[in-house]
Amino acid sequence: MRGLLAALLISALASPVVESLNCVQCNSFTKPCANVSASECPLEEAHSCVSSWSNSLLGGTLSLYEDMSCSAANCSGDPDAFLSFTVRVSDTEHFDFASQCCQGKTCNTTDSTSDSPQEDLSDTQCLACYGWNTTSCTGKPWKCYKGERCVYLIAQFKNATETLVLKGCSNIGTSTCELLSARNETFEGLALQKIECTDATPIALPSPGSRTFPGPLALTSLLLLGLLL
């Protein structure tokens, strides 16, 4: 009997103690989660805190989205624990996204920026457009900044029925694009249903010495002007 009690005591001492974890738990389309206090996570999710954030300005409408929660993910030492990129559609239209996984601690409010210096414009371009609740959009050429590539993505937000389709110039890194496209990644609050990255194409310039001839409408206008004179 004493041997059994000793064995049980040793087993209890050797068992790892599951520590509680407090994370900010917030899902919002209207206001930041910065003022929300952290609360205790369920034991099955008491491993990491995760935060996803997006900011889009499309068609003159500003949309903010933030999701912070507990997670069972093990992101310790993971170089992809923080992801951030911007997709630009025009000078005033863009989509920013960032995601962070914090092992055993509360994440700070995730943030991203779409500001880029104008002097860094390159001689490459991508097709740029956006659409809601569709699978594609017809893009128009848009000039990129240096280091940007072409991105085509389809995303859907948690607790929302709208799907966003987006094409444009992006500062997304190669490893980030490969990670997201391979996993068909679903973050806490945002499902990237599709993402494709390609190199931006050089802007076509007229060859030296080439001449531009007037089109039929311009030629007709010139003939009518000659008759009037």
Side-chain angles (χ1 to χ4, degrees), residues 5 169 189 195 226 228:
L5 291 175
C169 298
I195 182 165
L228 291 175

Side-chain angles (χ1 to χ4, degrees), residues 42-120:
L43 289 179
E44 65 273 13
E45 296 180 349
H47 212 73
S48 302
C49 297
V50 293
S51 172
S52 296
W53 177 94
S54 72
N55 169 19
S56 65
L57 181 58
L58 300 170
T61 301
L62 177 65
S63 299
L64 301 173
Y65 176 77
E66 190 167 11
D67 184 276
M68 302 183 74
S69 62
C70 307
S71 176
N74 182 358
C75 57
S76 178
D78 186 351
D80 299 312
F82 179 79
L83 302 174
S84 176
F85 64 88
T86 295
V87 181
R88 297 186 305 110
V89 180
S90 70
D91 279 336
T92 57
E93 296 176 305
H94 58 83
F95 172 82
D96 300 330
F97 174 76
S99 179
Q100 186 177 17
C101 178
C102 308
Q103 184 76 29
K105 61 181 180 179
T106 301
C107 292
N108 296 324
T109 302
T110 308
D111 199 357
S112 178
T113 178
S114 62
D115 295 333
S116 298
Q118 295 296 322
E119 60 268 22
D120 282 347

Side-chain angles (χ1 to χ4, degrees), residues 88 90-91 114-125 142-149 169-171 200:
R88 297 186 305 110
S90 70
D91 279 336
S114 62
D115 295 333
S116 298
Q118 295 296 322
E119 60 268 22
D120 282 347
L121 280 172
S122 67
D123 292 326
T124 59
Q125 62 187 5
W142 182 251
K143 198 170 186 179
C144 298
Y145 290 115
K146 291 181 180 178
E148 289 186 325
R149 63 187 62 198
C169 298
S170 177
N171 61 352

